Amino acid sequence: MEKFEKLTGVAAPLPVVNVDTDMIIPKDYLKTIKRTGLGKGLFAEARYREDGSENPDFVLNKPAYRGAKIIVAGDNFGCGSSREHAPWALLDFGIRCVISTSFADIFYNNCFKNGILPIVVSPKDLEKLMDDAERGSNAILTIDLEAQEITGPDGGHLHFDIDAGRRHILLEGLDDIASTLKSDAAISSFETKNRSDRPWL
């Protein structure tokens, strides 16, 4: 998993509450178990018209936001079903960070497992960040995970809180398997001793 240390990029405003995982990646795209190629389906029902052409009014289709790396969203982002395809689609599109006042628990946990940083901020701070994100090509935010700080286009700073263990996982780029392998020596030592102490197992 790619490490997340410091991210600078365009932030796209999505001032919608209760964005569910079906909106993030519609069910038509759930036939694959591959993590790649899902970016084209991200917000598909909002991004595309019925004839398959792009909806020019959707934020990620606007020239300033096509390369967005951050989404500033309304309350309760990622609610609904527990599909892990939702963070896969965000990551495949290029989104590495989502900022909101709250997230659905399963989506929040899935983000960390896939190298995406979900940041919870206060309603007051979200209002400031949404204003920053609405600046088009000037909507540049810097997310410093080590310092737990967001820097806006005017140089203002916002602090955010994050669980220390989850912060470490992202800084080191550790998925569940890599985290387990960090304890490989201890596991091997236990297994060797266990085989000696309990040979009947």
Side-chain angles (χ1 to χ4, degrees):
M1 194 167 74
E2 185 181 349
K3 292 182 179 181
F4 191 118
E5 296 170 333
K6 185 178 285 188
L7 173 71
T8 297
V10 171
L14 192 65
V16 180
V17 299
N18 302 321
V19 172
D20 64 26
T21 52
D22 189 54
M23 180 179 177
I24 297 170
I25 184 72
K27 62 183 181 300
D28 299 348
Y29 295 88
L30 304 185
K31 298 171 185 176
T32 181
I33 57 171
K34 294 180 180 178
R35 299 186 183 203
T36 57
L38 289 171
K40 66 179 181 293
L42 181 68
F43 297 114
E45 293 178 356
R47 277 172 70 196
Y48 307 114
R49 294 169 168 159
E50 287 187 12
D51 64 2
S53 63
E54 288 188 352
N55 171 10
D57 295 327
F58 186 68
V59 63
L60 294 180
N61 289 337
K62 295 179 179 179
Y65 298 109
R66 283 184 178 272
K69 295 181 180 179
I70 302 160
I71 289 178
V72 181
D75 189 51
N76 196 30
F77 190 88
C79 59
S81 65
S82 60
R83 62 188 69 168
E84 195 169 359
H85 291 69
W88 292 355
L90 286 163
L91 192 62
D92 193 60
F93 182 86
I95 303 296
R96 293 295 312 278
C97 177
V98 182
I99 304 171
S100 179
T101 51
S102 68
F103 295 89
D105 287 343
I106 295 175
F107 174 83
Y108 185 78
N109 292 329
N110 281 339
C111 281
F112 288 102
K113 292 180 179 182
N114 288 282
I116 296 173
L117 173 61
I119 298 178
V120 177
V121 296
S122 69
K124 183 179 179 181
D125 285 344
L126 185 74
E127 187 177 339
K128 294 176 186 174
L129 293 167
M130 195 69 74
D131 180 63
D132 288 338
E134 288 172 351
R135 299 185 185 193
S137 58
N138 293 322
I140 306 292
L141 298 181
T142 295
I143 314 294
D144 187 335
L145 181 55
E146 182 74 45
Q148 295 178 219
E149 194 171 70
I150 304 169
T151 303
D154 295 329
H157 301 286
L158 293 175
H159 177 80
F160 63 89
D161 294 317
I162 185 172
D163 173 78
R166 285 174 165 158
R167 176 172 169 266
H168 174 74
I169 284 169
L170 286 180
L171 285 171
E172 295 296 320
L174 301 174
D175 59 16
D176 288 346
I177 293 173
S179 294
T180 302
L181 289 175
K182 282 274 192 178
S183 302
D184 185 49
I187 293 169
S188 296
S189 175
F190 170 81
E191 289 179 338
T192 299
K193 185 176 186 305
N194 193 50
R195 279 194 296 270
S196 175
D197 294 345
R198 306 164 73 185
W200 60 89
L201 292 179

